[in-house]
């Protein structure tokens, strides 16, 4: 159990366009979802934390108007990179956690998606 | 200062050899500690999770230890394989009585390269 999917896995777009990345928890309800960015050979950098039905909490230095996060349901969160530029090219990873303990699911644990590779030309 | 420190930053080992990765943390109170394996271009995959009362946990050739008193954890890889080449990340979750409950503190990771 505890599978998290991301779509698309890879996207190439032109500078100035917007890109939406979806993150879904497939077999559990995710009360909290996290969005990370990772540059080559670097560690994960937390961008924002979102709880279902409320506004996302952004980390310092992350522009909330540029990286729009919507967490409309317990199984779906989306990250929209608006007016993308080449410097936004990165590997974006989401993760989900749940306050429900059942089966093989652990609370206070993040389950990661496979990531989305964004390339802005 | 990062509350989770991993060492070494990187290491190269010969196929078939063993290696040990270290994770020291200052997160308090402590909830759990997870080791993740992240292949290049993929999302992290959980290897082990340990709570306060657990000292060791194994997952195949991966064995994690935890000393909650000294706030140290290690991940031991036995008989390494080429597929073990990856980044190994230590993540500590804070306990409920702290303002940081629900926060996950990430180590920077140890990059392991297994050579033939």
């Amino acid at each position: 159990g505890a599978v998290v999917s991301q779509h698309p896995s890879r996207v190439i777009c032109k500078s100035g366009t917007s890109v939406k990345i979806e993150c879904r928890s497939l077999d559990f309800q995710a009360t909290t979802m996290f969005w990370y960015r990772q540059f080559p050979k670097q560690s994960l950098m937390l961008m924002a934390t979102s709880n279902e039905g409320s506004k996302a909490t952004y980390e310092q230095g992350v522009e909330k108007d540029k990286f729009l996060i919507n967490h409309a349901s317990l199984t779906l969160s989306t990250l929209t990179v608006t007016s993308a530029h080449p410097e936004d090219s990165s590997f974006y990873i989401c993760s989900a956690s749940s306050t429900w303990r059942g089966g093989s699911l652990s609370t206070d644990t993040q389950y990661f998606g496979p990531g989305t590779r964004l390339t802005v030309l | 200062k990062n509350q989770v420190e991993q060492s070494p930053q990187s290491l190269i080992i010969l196929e078939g050899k063993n290696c040990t990765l270290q994770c020291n943390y200052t997160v308090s109170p402590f909830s759990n500690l997870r080791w993740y394996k992240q292949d290049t271009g993929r999302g992290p995959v959980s290897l082990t999770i340990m709570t306060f009362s657990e000292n060791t946990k194994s997952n195949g050739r991966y064995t994690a230890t935890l000393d909650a008193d000294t706030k140290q954890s290690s991940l031991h890889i036995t008989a390494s394989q080429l597929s073990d080449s990856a980044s190994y990340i230590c993540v500590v979750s804070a306990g409920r009585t702290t303002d940081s409950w629900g926060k996950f503190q990430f180590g920077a990771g140890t990059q392991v390269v297994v050579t033939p």
Side-chain angles (χ1 to χ4, degrees):
Chain A
V3 177
V4 176
S5 69
Q6 278 185 244
H7 178 79
S9 59
R10 188 181 295 269
V11 59
I12 300 173
C13 68
K14 292 183 179 180
S15 184
T17 60
S18 294
V19 176
K20 179 184 284 188
I21 302 170
E22 291 186 350
C23 177
R24 293 181 185 273
S25 57
L26 299 184
D27 50 3
F28 68 101
Q29 293 184 325
T31 49
T32 305
M33 285 189 170
F34 305 83
W35 286 96
Y36 296 84
R37 182 166 51 182
Q38 187 176 36
F39 294 105
K41 298 187 185 298
Q42 294 188 25
S43 60
L44 295 164
M45 293 169 45
L46 180 64
M47 299 175 67
T49 303
S50 73
N51 293 299
E52 183 264 339
S54 60
K55 290 184 178 180
T57 301
Y58 289 81
E59 295 299 300
Q60 191 172 13
V62 178
E63 300 173 58
K64 61 180 179 181
D65 294 329
K66 180 170 183 61
F67 299 100
L68 302 179
I69 292 174
N70 183 281
H71 191 168
S73 77
L74 286 171
T75 59
L76 173 64
S77 176
T78 60
L79 168 68
T80 301
V81 183
T82 62
S83 187
H85 288 94
E87 57 265 31
D88 297 325
S89 298
S90 186
F91 191 53
Y92 291 87
I93 305 174
C94 74
S95 70
S97 68
S98 174
T99 56
W100 176 78
R101 181 185 294 275
S104 61
L105 194 71
S106 298
T107 59
D108 298 342
T109 294
Q110 293 188 59
Y111 299 92
F112 286 88
T116 296
R117 172 73 59 193
L118 170 63
T119 303
V120 184
L121 302 176
Chain B
K1 185 180 186 298
N2 197 359
Q3 296 186 52
V4 180
E5 300 282 351
Q6 289 188 243
S7 63
Q9 185 176 12
S10 63
L11 70 101
I12 301 173
I13 58 173
L14 288 175
E15 186 179 11
K17 298 296 185 182
N18 304 335
C19 69
T20 301
L21 316 179
Q22 298 291 341
C23 174
N24 298 336
Y25 62 93
T26 59
V27 177
S28 182
F30 169 86
S31 177
N32 64 57
L33 184 149
R34 264 194 189 259
W35 282 95
Y36 289 90
K37 177 188 178 188
Q38 185 181 20
D39 293 310
T40 301
R42 310 292 288 273
V45 174
S46 176
L47 295 175
T48 64
I49 179 172
M50 288 184 294
T51 58
F52 184 88
S53 59
E54 296 173 299
N55 299 120
T56 185
K57 185 155 296 181
S58 293
N59 177 2
R61 294 180 296 101
Y62 300 103
T63 300
T65 65
L66 174 66
D67 186 333
D69 292 329
T70 61
K71 297 185 179 180
Q72 296 180 328
S73 176
S74 67
L75 180 69
H76 187 76
I77 305 175
T78 303
S80 61
Q81 300 177 0
L82 297 179
S83 60
D84 292 331
S85 295
S87 177
Y88 291 83
I89 305 169
C90 174
V91 181
V92 181
S93 174
R96 288 177 177 264
T97 60
T98 176
D99 289 341
S100 59
W101 176 65
K103 292 281 190 179
F104 298 87
Q105 300 292 338
F106 281 70
T110 293
Q111 186 67 46
V112 174
V113 175
V114 181
T115 62

